């Protein structure tokens, strides 16, 4: 049963368009390349105070301001802003919608020619985390920033941080990969694959050409979001939030939502489809699945960081079972093996993977302190 | 895109039909009540050697023989049989298809009148784990067995074991609830709900009346199975089985299965729909979600076991994250609080929840020893 919903509205996003395009890891050259972004604070005279923040799978560039589709505050609005832990009176913060995203950067939902007409749809080539980073580098170069004070991000954002540090070590003074890993595990791939199967199965997906009817595969995308959402929360967080509480009368039925956790998940699913493109979700989940930093360096993870001068803060959350602490320790071990400057913190939290998006005082203090320390070192 | 497949064939199962039916927890009386079952070994003269084995969500009564739909061996065929750890030369083993199931017992796929005509479909009432146990009790009574030597089961089977011990303490000499819990957690409910949403979203589900067209909601049911299957395996088991291995050439694409774990999951999904009924899946997952033994006893778990003379073996598996060891410890604590005779073992295994179905020597030894000890105590 298809649910007719309005496809998410097209918003005019701030962006740079690079006519010469980008060569991708898959060997396809795409042109033009549009890079949508938002900045907060001011770039100083010697261009030394720039912090690039990389967003996660379903995040976007509206980091510290109202998101135009949802009307909700920015996803790190509590952390970043004037006078906040990451103080935009001091730092120039850049956030880029990832390549393959659906908030203005080149991706499946964007017109193929960058201006109007049919979107890329399923013709959009497969991309990698490194391709996302290359697109961001174009914007950083455009700003005339030779070296970023820091690159910061959680989850898929953390994968981008690792890729930045490996690919452009001279351009990254400090790097904070948070709640992430050097590769996607078999379990992570499996969860993504089930979400993709749900999208593919939706008759409204129409082999990826859903835009032709002005419809979206809302039910498939919602199920994909529901699955993912469970993996973002810890068992403890779900139990605290909902436990086994019933909605209204505890009637015995096998057809209706009866537990509060069910209607919460359904709400998560249905609100997601109003802000996210299904082909974009397919593209980006695949990019995460492909991510395997060691494989890019001959199977030797430490080779990705050989000779690096970047300072690292690696952070994990104790109840994160999607990117557990052990995976962050693998990053630390590789950095140690490359004799890098690395600090590691596991934040005690029972909120699961989601904790990196929530106001966790210890995390804010660790990340804020790390960035201030880096700033003092370079005289910002 | 619907995949036309033949609905699973109707097999003639061994069963007893009780014309007077059964009163359910939801207040509905269903009649007739069909209870499909298989037995292994022989009931001794004083009817003291009977072991009831309760199956899990997608299991069935074909415990120790070829399953007629899949042609595969029984799900505990390595554990139970002549000369095996649970020796059917000594014990009379009974396994019942659960109420709500689709292998011959009364359920959504069975004709409403128990003989022919339209199936119950979505008119089938909501059932509970206790209802399943009540149906089994009818068969046990029919055999003239006043006291079972043991009731044994894993996962949802373990929930039935707990319910047996609580509801019919005099009829259970020994009980082994394995890899289970006294209630379904919010996370467990959430995973089930996503699976149900996938089934409901399948246009071939047709509000549960799919049988009218001789079709089944194959894609939705397959996605539900895929999700569940991930929860049955540990991260380590998935990594060992598949890791990040690619199928064939590592082509970069976002539309095809590229990792081995993906095609494995798809195979799990598509083979499941050839043996399981979607409405049955909805019914049984709901029964698991409703299960909350303490709630049946005024919120006091130990009250469920007050004064019990049953001997218990509680077993968990170290890498089971669906029913983690902590939940088995909760059972043990409640039994201790009721001054029950209880032994507990956590089996070291990296195979996840699935371990209870696999040949785990320590588990086989613990369960086998427990049953032999019980048998010796009653002189079997």
């Amino acid at each position: 049963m298809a649910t007719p919903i309005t496809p998410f509205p097209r918003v005019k996003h701030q962006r740079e368009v690079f006519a010469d395009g980008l060569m991708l890891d898959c060997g396809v050259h795409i042109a033009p390349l549009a890079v949508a972004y938002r900045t907060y604070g001011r770039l100083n005279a010697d261009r030394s105070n720039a912090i690039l923040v990389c967003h996660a799978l379903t995040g976007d560039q509206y980091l510290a301001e109202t998101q135009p589709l949802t009307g909700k505050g920015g996803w790190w609005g509590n952390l970043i802003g004037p006078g906040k832990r990451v103080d935009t009176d001091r730092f120039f913060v850049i956030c880029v919608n990832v390549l393959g995203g659906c908030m203005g950067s080149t991706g499946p939902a964007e017109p193929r020619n960058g201006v109007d007409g049919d979107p890329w749809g399923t013709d959009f080539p497969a991309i990698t985390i490194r391709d996302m980073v290359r697109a961001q580098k174009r914007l950083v170069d455009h700003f005339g920033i030779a070296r970023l004070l820091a690159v910061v991000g959680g989850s898929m954002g953390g994968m981008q941080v690792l890729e930045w540090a490996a690919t452009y070590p001279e351009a990254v003074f400090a790097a904070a990969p948070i709640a992430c890993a050097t590769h996607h595990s078999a379990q992570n791939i499996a969860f993504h694959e089930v979400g993709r199967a749900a999208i593919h199965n939706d008759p409204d997906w129409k082999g990826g050409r859903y835009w032709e009817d002005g419809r979206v595969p809302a039910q498939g995308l919602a199920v994909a979001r529901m699955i993912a959402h469970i993996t973002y929360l810890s068992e403890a967080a779900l139990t605290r939030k909902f436990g086994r509480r019933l909605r209204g009368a505890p009637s015995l039925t096998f057809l209706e939502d009866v537990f509060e956790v069910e209607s919460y998940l359904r709400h998560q699913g249905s609100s997601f489809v109003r802000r996210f493109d299904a082909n974009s979700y397919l593209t980006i989940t695949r990019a995460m699945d492909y991510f395997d930093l060691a494989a890019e360096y001959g199977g030797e993870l430490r080779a990705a960081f050989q000779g690096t001068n970047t300072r690292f803060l690696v952070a994990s959350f104790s109840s994160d079972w999607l990117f557990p602490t052990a995976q962050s320790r693998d990053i630390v071990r590789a950095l140690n093996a490359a004799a890098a400057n690395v600090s590691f913190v596991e934040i005690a939290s029972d909120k699961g993977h989601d904790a990196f998006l929530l106001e966790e005082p210890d995390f804010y203090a660790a990340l804020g302190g790390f960035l201030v320390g880096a700033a003092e070192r370079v005289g910002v």
Side-chain angles (χ1 to χ4, degrees), chain A residues 117-133:
Chain A
D118 284 355
W120 275 98
T122 53
D123 291 337
F124 192 71
I127 57 167
T128 63
I129 300 292
R130 187 159 56 181
D131 290 330
M132 295 177 184
V133 165

Side-chain angles (χ1 to χ4, degrees), chain A residues 132-181:
Chain A
M132 295 177 184
V133 165
R134 287 185 183 117
Q136 292 162 2
K137 182 69 161 57
R138 296 296 296 275
L139 184 74
V140 170
D141 290 345
H142 170 78
F143 281 130
I145 298 167
R147 191 179 67 178
L148 291 159
L149 174 61
V151 184
V152 177
S155 197
M156 187 183 81
M159 292 176 168
Q160 294 164 62
V161 173
L162 293 172
E163 197 66 83
W164 261 98
T167 311
Y168 304 113
E170 301 305 321
V172 183
F173 183 75
I178 298 153
C180 67

Side-chain angles (χ1 to χ4, degrees), chain A residues 22-369:
Chain A
L22 189 72
M23 176 60 82
L24 303 175
D25 273 332
C26 67
V28 174
H29 183 263
I30 51 168
L33 169 71
V35 179
Y37 67 97
R38 294 295 293 164
T39 64
Y40 307 92
R42 277 190 195 174
L43 188 60
N44 62 7
D46 61 358
R47 298 175 180 176
S48 62
N49 69 333
I51 296 174
L52 177 71
V53 176
C54 304
H55 70 71
L57 169 54
T58 65
D60 54 50
Q61 67 271 38
Y62 296 94
L63 175 67
E65 66 191 298
T66 303
Q67 210 267 18
L69 296 182
T70 65
K72 293 188 180 168
W75 53 274
W76 257 0
N78 291 327
L79 176 66
I80 297 177
K84 302 215 165 143
R85 273 282 184 190
V86 179
D87 189 350
T88 51
D89 291 337
R90 182 176 192 178
F91 302 120
F92 177 65
V93 174
I94 311 165
C95 191
V96 173
N97 183 225
V98 294
L99 178 70
C102 50
M103 291 293 278
S105 289
T106 297
E110 284 292 309
R112 201 186 263 264
N113 66 5
V115 184
D116 53 19
D118 284 355
W120 275 98
T122 53
D123 291 337
F124 192 71
I127 57 167
T128 63
I129 300 292
R130 187 159 56 181
D131 290 330
M132 295 177 184
V133 165
R134 287 185 183 117
Q136 292 162 2
K137 182 69 161 57
R138 296 296 296 275
L139 184 74
V140 170
D141 290 345
H142 170 78
F143 281 130
I145 298 167
R147 191 179 67 178
L148 291 159
L149 174 61
V151 184
V152 177
S155 197
M156 187 183 81
M159 292 176 168
Q160 294 164 62
V161 173
L162 293 172
E163 197 66 83
W164 261 98
T167 311
Y168 304 113
E170 301 305 321
V172 183
F173 183 75
I178 298 153
C180 67
T182 61
H183 64 271
H184 228 206
S185 73
Q187 190 182 65
N188 292 356
I189 294 171
F191 277 120
H192 271 176
E193 175 58 12
V194 179
R196 287 190 292 258
I199 294 169
H200 291 158
N201 287 351
D202 190 326
D204 282 340
W205 185 61
K206 295 183 183 299
R209 299 185 70 81
Y210 47 86
W211 44 269
E212 290 176 348
D213 297 342
R215 294 173 71 83
V216 298
Q219 293 189 312
L221 185 58
V223 167
R225 177 62 169 176
M226 290 167 75
I227 298 165
H229 200 81
I230 300 173
T231 68
Y232 300 155
L233 300 178
S234 65
E235 160 66 31
L238 273 173
T239 297
R240 189 179 50 243
K241 271 184 165 174
F242 309 106
R244 297 180 42 82
R245 281 198 303 280
L246 298 164
R247 299 179 64 214
S251 61
L252 286 174
T253 163
F254 82 84
L255 285 179
E256 292 157 37
D257 291 354
V258 285
F259 293 98
E260 286 188 7
V261 65
E262 297 178 306
S263 59
Y264 168 77
L265 278 180
R266 286 191 182 263
H267 171 75
Q268 289 292 328
S270 61
S271 60
F272 181 61
V273 304
R274 290 165 207 282
R275 70 173 180 89
F276 217 88
D277 174 62
N279 283 333
S280 200
Y281 193 82
L282 295 170
T283 299
I284 298 176
T285 54
R286 192 51 100 185
M288 289 181 76
D289 292 352
Y290 281 132
F291 185 60
D292 187 352
L293 190 58
E296 295 174 19
Y297 290 86
E300 278 276 8
L301 191 55
R302 67 175 179 179
F305 305 114
Q306 207 63 52
T308 186
N309 291 314
T310 301
R311 284 128 178 86
F312 289 85
L313 171 68
V314 178
S316 70
F317 296 89
S318 56
S319 59
D320 184 348
W321 58 277
L322 192 63
F323 291 101
T325 291
Q327 297 186 339
S328 281
R329 289 193 192 281
D330 287 343
I331 301 171
V332 173
R333 262 190 291 274
L335 287 166
N336 283 336
N341 178 339
V342 55
S343 153
F344 168 66
V345 60
E346 182 190 46
I347 307 292
S349 164
D350 71 352
K351 302 196 178 76
H353 184 60
D354 234 20
F356 87 91
L357 293 170
L358 303 173
E359 198 156 355
E360 288 278 358
D362 287 351
F363 168 54
Y364 278 23
L367 181 60

